[in-house]
Amino acid sequence: MTELFDLSVEDADEAAERRDEVVARVRSHAGEIARELARLQGGDYGKRTFETSDGEWTVKYEAGDLQFLLFEGGRSETYVVSTHQPPDPEDLAEAMTDYEEFVKSFNRYVESLDGVLDEVPTDFPAVESTDSVVAERERILGRVREVCDQIARQLARYEGGEYGTYATRVGGNRWELKWENGATSYLRVGGEGGIYLLSQYEQPAAHDVRSLAEDVPRFVEAFNDYVDDLDASLDGVSL
């Protein structure tokens, strides 16, 4: 039994070194393909697959650098280049028999783009200015904010505290005004997922302003009715 352990073990260093040498050369060469592909496709990362008669090669890149080069031929797949582990030498050898065809496939792809942008028109119509629309929207919303800030100040006086909300229904829609420190934080129509007529973050669409601004007077009237009800609740109280 002990004679089994007297058997010599072949040194794999030479095969591993040769494998690493091939992978390094492929990484450098395919890295050029990755950079050219990144220039063509744009963006910080992406991938593309190229077909050959023996299989498919997929190049993935990030920030212009090669992330992996995958060969899929028949039933097997080999990461010729990857960020994890080197390929099996036999799998690498099989894949490399098709590497030249992969490069040719990439070159054909680039050549197919030659002239594709010829005669593309670059004389475009003049771009209309949004100045008048923006100015009118700001004018309308400025007036809406003025009246909502008045409501916010009244609510702050009545309710106390630094923030709160007032909600009512106008035309079948829920209108909610949120205030903070006596000023309007937002005016939202339609509940959660509704339209923010006033907001700290973005402006509403002009069509939304058009359809909702006409109901602002009714919102103010609803608030006034709310205040009148508060007044009525104290009627007849004497001290």
Side-chain angles (χ1 to χ4, degrees):
M1 185 69 176
T2 57
E3 59 269 16
L4 292 177
F5 300 102
D6 293 332
L7 296 174
S8 62
V9 176
E10 291 294 331
D11 191 338
D13 285 350
E14 182 177 348
E17 289 176 3
R18 178 56 181 159
R19 185 266 319 278
D20 293 344
E21 178 185 343
V22 172
V23 170
R25 294 187 64 181
V26 173
R27 182 185 297 276
S28 175
H29 188 267
E32 296 180 27
I33 292 177
R35 285 189 291 275
E36 295 300 327
L37 194 58
R39 291 181 61 198
L40 277 173
Q41 297 191 172
D44 292 332
Y45 57 88
K47 66 179 180 179
R48 189 175 183 89
T49 299
F50 300 91
E51 295 185 359
T52 68
S53 58
D54 289 340
E56 294 181 342
W57 292 77
T58 300
V59 181
K60 183 179 180 182
Y61 63 87
E62 185 171 344
D65 292 332
L66 180 66
Q67 293 297 296
F68 70 66
L69 177 63
L70 169 65
F71 172 66
E72 296 174 279
R75 297 181 180 179
S76 64
E77 63 176 36
T78 303
Y79 282 87
V80 177
V81 176
S82 79
T83 56
H84 299 293
Q85 65 183 35
D88 178 84
E90 290 185 352
D91 293 338
L92 176 62
E94 180 182 352
M96 290 308 297
T97 61
D98 194 53
Y99 184 78
E100 182 177 352
E101 294 303 314
F102 155 61
V103 178
K104 290 180 179 178
S105 180
F106 171 78
N107 289 340
R108 285 194 297 271
Y109 165 66
V110 175
E111 291 167 359
S112 72
L113 300 175
D114 186 31
V116 72
L117 296 177
D118 291 353
E119 301 181 5
V120 172
T122 54
D123 294 328
F124 308 123
V127 177
E128 291 290 337
S129 172
T130 62
D131 287 351
S132 61
V133 177
V134 171
E136 184 63 8
R137 180 178 63 185
E138 290 179 350
R139 184 191 70 78
I140 295 172
L141 293 182
R143 183 69 186 103
V144 174
R145 185 171 290 278
E146 285 178 12
V147 72
C148 286
D149 282 348
Q150 293 179 43
I151 293 175
R153 285 191 292 271
Q154 297 302 322
L155 289 169
R157 289 183 61 194
Y158 172 68
E159 297 184 8
E162 296 181 353
Y163 58 88
T165 59
Y166 166 74
T168 188
R169 299 196 73 82
V170 176
N173 291 319
R174 175 183 169 87
W175 286 57
E176 181 179 83
L177 178 120
K178 182 178 180 181
W179 55 271
E180 186 172 353
N181 296 322
T184 304
S185 292
Y186 68 69
L187 177 61
R188 184 175 65 196
V189 182
E192 291 291 336
I195 298 169
Y196 285 83
L197 193 56
L198 297 177
S199 168
Q200 298 174 323
Y201 302 104
E202 61 183 20
Q203 299 280 41
H207 291 295
D208 292 333
V209 175
R210 173 78 184 189
S211 63
L212 296 176
E214 295 177 351
D215 284 335
V216 173
R218 297 171 62 188
F219 172 70
V220 177
E221 290 171 0
F223 174 76
N224 290 339
D225 291 342
Y226 167 71
V227 174
D228 289 342
D229 289 342
L230 294 177
D231 285 340
S233 66
L234 294 178
D235 284 352
V237 176
S238 60
L239 296 175

